[in-house]
Amino acid sequence: MFVTFEGVDGSGKTTIMEALACELRAQGHKVCATREPGGSALGKSLRELLLHTETKITKRAELLLFLADRAEHVATVIKPALAAGQVVLCDRYIDSTLCYQGYGRGLELNELRFLNSVATANLFPDLTLVLDVPIEIGLKRALSRADSSNTCRFEQEALQFHAKVRQGYLEEAAISPRFRVVDASQAFSQVLASCRAHLLSHLASC
Ligand code: TMP
């Protein structure tokens, strides 16, 4: 089973995903918990470049770097883990590209859908949990955990950019049955309980 976690910066998806990975392991599942960008050996260098370079990157070059990260990640980490029967939990995947580079930066959505399918060789998630939070709350959380010298390029974007990204997630979730939207402005225990319920009901149906 391949599950992705998505949301605006500071939505809490990383912490929730780690907690669920621990729970699944405790129940005896083999779990591969990974992330984009940066889930492969090559991806670690690409992550640093994509999130922290001070060099200006054009929209299309940025897009292609995320896709290179994804192609390598799918081929060297995700597909082998799925083939070995593991549950793969991935912090960001194709929908981050649609929402950040598409809805956020304004690149053409259908072009991005096609390029995502090229990068992943058509490997789509079985389930996608979108942790939805008002952008002011998300950014406050994201900026409070990064020290001022370590904020990433995306956290420095204007509120309007993040609002478009959030809207993108909600629009994508409305048109595809693989999404579940969770209200991530609730207390951590409630967010975790909702995500757990979606995950377990999906596992049971597999
Ligand atoms: P995070 O992994 O710490 O959430 O940060 C990754 C940042 O990269 C986040 O701001 C979203 C952005 N991103 C994209 O813009 N496009 C993508 O395809 C991916 C995977 C991430």
Side-chain angles (χ1 to χ4, degrees):
M1 188 171 84
F2 180 24
V3 183
T4 57
F5 293 75
E6 295 280 358
V8 294
D9 293 81
S11 57
K13 61 190 170 35
T14 307
T15 323
I16 292 288
M17 194 187 99
E18 280 166 6
L20 290 172
C22 285
E23 291 185 11
L24 288 176
R25 287 189 184 110
Q27 290 165 18
H29 293 280
K30 292 248 179 306
V31 178
C32 166
T34 185
R35 70 170 175 184
E36 290 191 359
S40 65
L42 171 69
K44 287 186 178 52
S45 312
L46 291 176
R47 181 179 176 92
E48 192 49 36
L49 192 64
L50 277 161
L51 303 193
H52 297 296
T53 185
E54 280 168 20
T55 310
K56 234 175 162 325
I57 309 182
T58 59
K59 294 180 200 182
R60 284 183 176 270
E62 178 186 87
L63 164 69
L64 293 169
L65 288 171
F66 277 116
L67 293 169
D69 171 75
R70 183 158 305 132
E72 186 73 6
H73 189 213
V74 167
T76 64
V77 177
I78 301 178
K79 277 201 172 157
L82 290 171
Q86 298 184 15
V87 175
V88 175
L89 304 182
C90 188
D91 184 348
R92 298 196 180 283
Y93 191 58
I94 50 175
D95 304 304
S96 284
T97 299
L98 283 182
C99 294
Y100 281 78
Q101 280 64 53
Y103 290 87
R105 298 259 194 253
L107 292 176
E108 221 275 304
L109 291 176
N110 281 334
E111 198 171 52
L112 299 184
R113 290 186 213 283
F114 170 70
L115 290 170
N116 265 334
S117 69
V118 173
T120 62
N122 291 314
L123 179 70
F124 297 100
D126 300 303
L127 173 69
T128 298
L129 299 178
V130 174
L131 275 70
D132 180 52
V133 73
I135 50 168
E136 293 78 6
I137 298 181
L139 278 179
K140 206 167 149 197
R141 282 186 197 158
L143 294 173
S144 69
R145 56 165 198 246
D147 65 57
S148 53
S149 61
N150 197 30
T151 55
C152 93
R153 288 172 53 246
F154 292 92
E155 289 161 356
Q156 292 161 10
E157 289 287 342
L159 276 184
Q160 203 189 8
F161 172 83
H162 294 279
K164 288 189 212 159
V165 172
R166 182 185 185 203
Q167 186 56 28
Y169 279 120
L170 297 176
E171 287 187 24
E172 288 301 308
I175 57 175
S176 164
R178 79 176 147 85
F179 288 91
R180 301 287 178 276
V181 179
V182 171
D183 175 2
S185 61
Q186 304 172 95
F188 175 79
S189 59
Q190 285 170 299
V191 182
L192 182 60
S194 304
C195 291
R196 183 191 299 120
H198 288 308
L199 190 63
L200 294 183
S201 101
H202 198 83
L203 258 178
S205 71
C206 288

